[in-house]
Amino acid sequence: MSKEPKNLEQRDGFQSKWGFILACIGSAVGMGNIWRFPIMVQKYGGMTFLLPYFIFVILIGSTGVIEEFALGRRAAAGPVGAFGMCTKERTGSDKSGKAIGAIPIIGALMLAIGYTVVLGWIFKYTFMSLSGSLFNLGTDMGAIGGTFGMTAPEAETLPEALKAMASAGFFGIGNGVWQIVALVVSLAIMVMGVAGGIEKANKIMMPVLFGLFLVLAVYIGTLPGASEGYKYILTLNPAGLAKPDLWVFAFGQAFFSLSVAGNGSVIYGSYLSKSEDIPSSARNVAVFDTLAALLAAVVIIPAMAVVLGEGIRDVSGGPGLMFVYLVNVFNAMPAGRIIGAIFYICVLFAGVSSIVNLYEAPIAFLQEQFKFKRAAAVGTIGVIGLVVSIAIQPWTSQWMDVVSIYICPLGAALAGVMFFWVLGKEKAIAAVNEGAKKPIGGWFFPLGKWVYVICAVLALILGVMYGGIG
């Protein structure tokens, strides 16, 4: 145990409470907030969806988010070191914990690789929106869909995807050049470290993202027809609350939106000062992540109502919403070129902040377990991310499904088991209370042990049953 304080002193870390919170908000605010949450709100009837969603945000924010922050901080390490700490304190050996901790590391890297492809799309569309070429597509859905089709080619299987990329020279199809741009920008932030790169970048990106989304929401609210969009958001259908699917997808949205996967929140927690109040930080992350999702909804749903009218009912979520339907919507609106540019800048900041968090876990793993220097770790993971992401482009959707359905919920469940079941009640509560202004309530441990951990397992089971819930 004597080595842990020394290890903590040598580690980079967040320099301020709000630097940590903004970085965690950045990791949580991702594409799910933008291309899935608004559609769930629209599909299930506004408040009918939001009520169960809020319940699950409260549950997960008050258990899983706190647990992952506290687990990382107590170990001063990412998942491998943190899981190893838990098994060592229970059994005297860290070998099994370290082996299990590799699972969320693999999940983080795989998710980051898939996100690299998506971030390449975002960088391209941000450039196109600023240059005016996106606006010049007008409302021709053939041209808009064709542009995204060339950007994001599709294949049914991984071998087919690899064959297509190889036959085209890997840069002959897809979006490889923009993926390089996206990855270079993200790696540049990471190579500067936690305080000098990640914290400073999020202190800029997150306030700007919220500010710009607010500007979009206010402007769109002034347009004729926007009120119909608000009706979707404010609709409450009590009978709808009896539908099991509603609760499943509300749970999935909250679970994945708060980024509990046993990796990113654990590693960010490991950079947190012992004097910081973890329950307070977790609450702020949950609140601002929810606000970001709601802002996206009050931008996207009224915007679609303005242009599409009743056609809003036929719109589905996912990449098609952001790169096809919304291009058509913004191009048809007054000041559409400006609105589109602002929107994609917001999406860009959300994407960069998320991918930095995802890559940080495997980068820190190389630093902790193999004593890599920061630049060498960033470079190694960056090369892996670039090569694999370019190769799998036509299979990105299936790649992301594998990670989100199987590996992320498994990582969250394993982290919960390690903290609530293996580490033990006394040490777990002490880890949460360190730096807290007041001790956490007696509800925390049993709620985490018996409800949150079971919910994390359910996220895996339900994801398999439904083909994805978040």
Side-chain angles (χ1 to χ4, degrees), residues 132-181:
S133 58
L134 199 61
F135 183 72
N136 290 339
L137 294 174
T139 57
D140 182 345
M141 290 297 286
I144 295 170
T147 298
F148 185 59
M150 291 186 292
T151 302
E154 295 183 355
E156 290 295 324
T157 66
L158 182 57
E160 288 178 9
L162 297 175
K163 182 179 179 180
M165 294 303 298
S167 64
F170 287 96
F171 286 92
I173 60 174
N175 198 42
V177 173
W178 283 106
Q179 282 178 225
I180 294 175
V181 173

Side-chain angles (χ1 to χ4, degrees), residues 77-98:
V80 170
F83 289 17
M85 173 202 71
C86 292
T87 57
K88 185 174 183 179
E89 298 210 10
R90 173 56 68 98
T91 68
S93 172
D94 63 0
K95 290 183 179 179
S96 60
K98 284 188 171 182

Side-chain angles (χ1 to χ4, degrees), residues 116-329:
T116 300
V117 179
V118 176
L119 194 59
W121 302 343
I122 295 169
F123 266 84
K124 177 179 179 178
Y125 272 67
T126 303
F127 174 79
M128 291 176 67
S129 68
L130 292 171
S131 68
S133 58
L134 199 61
F135 183 72
N136 290 339
L137 294 174
T139 57
D140 182 345
M141 290 297 286
I144 295 170
T147 298
F148 185 59
M150 291 186 292
T151 302
E154 295 183 355
E156 290 295 324
T157 66
L158 182 57
E160 288 178 9
L162 297 175
K163 182 179 179 180
M165 294 303 298
S167 64
F170 287 96
F171 286 92
I173 60 174
N175 198 42
V177 173
W178 283 106
Q179 282 178 225
I180 294 175
V181 173
L183 197 54
V184 167
V185 171
S186 303
L187 295 178
I189 293 172
M190 289 182 280
V191 81
M192 290 187 285
V194 178
I198 297 173
E199 181 172 357
K200 287 184 177 179
N202 279 286
K203 279 185 174 180
I204 296 171
M205 291 191 293
M206 288 302 100
V208 172
L209 182 149
F210 277 90
L212 290 179
F213 256 138
L214 189 59
V215 168
L216 289 179
V218 170
Y219 172 75
I220 290 171
T222 66
L223 299 179
S227 59
E228 293 301 313
Y230 300 131
K231 289 180 182 178
Y232 282 105
I233 297 171
L234 298 174
T235 297
L236 176 61
N237 176 18
L241 293 171
K243 296 180 179 178
D245 286 5
L246 169 69
W247 290 85
V248 168
F249 288 113
F251 165 64
Q253 184 67 37
F255 185 87
F256 287 98
S257 183
L258 290 174
S259 297
V260 282
N263 44 48
S265 296
V266 174
I267 192 62
Y268 273 12
S270 76
Y271 298 135
L272 187 60
S273 165
K274 298 284 188 181
S275 63
E276 293 297 342
D277 187 329
I278 282 180
S280 173
S281 296
R283 181 176 62 250
N284 284 320
V285 170
V287 167
F288 281 99
D289 176 66
T290 303
L291 285 176
L294 291 172
L295 272 175
V298 299
V299 167
I300 292 171
I301 295 175
M304 291 193 297
V306 167
V307 175
L308 303 178
E310 289 298 316
I312 189 175
R313 299 180 185 274
D314 301 323
V315 177
S316 58
L321 170 67
M322 195 161 72
F323 299 106
V324 179
Y325 284 108
L326 287 180
V327 173
N328 173 58
V329 167

Side-chain angles (χ1 to χ4, degrees), residues 338-352:
I338 297 173
I339 299 304
I342 293 173
F343 175 80
Y344 284 106
I345 289 171
C346 290
V347 174
L348 180 68
F349 285 170
V352 170

Side-chain angles (χ1 to χ4, degrees), residues 6 13 16 19 36 71 119 143 152 200 248 257 317 330 342 373 419:
K6 181 179 179 182
S16 68
R36 190 173 187 277
L71 179 60
L119 194 59
K200 287 184 177 179
V248 168
S257 183
F330 294 143
I342 293 173
K373 298 294 185 182
F419 188 79

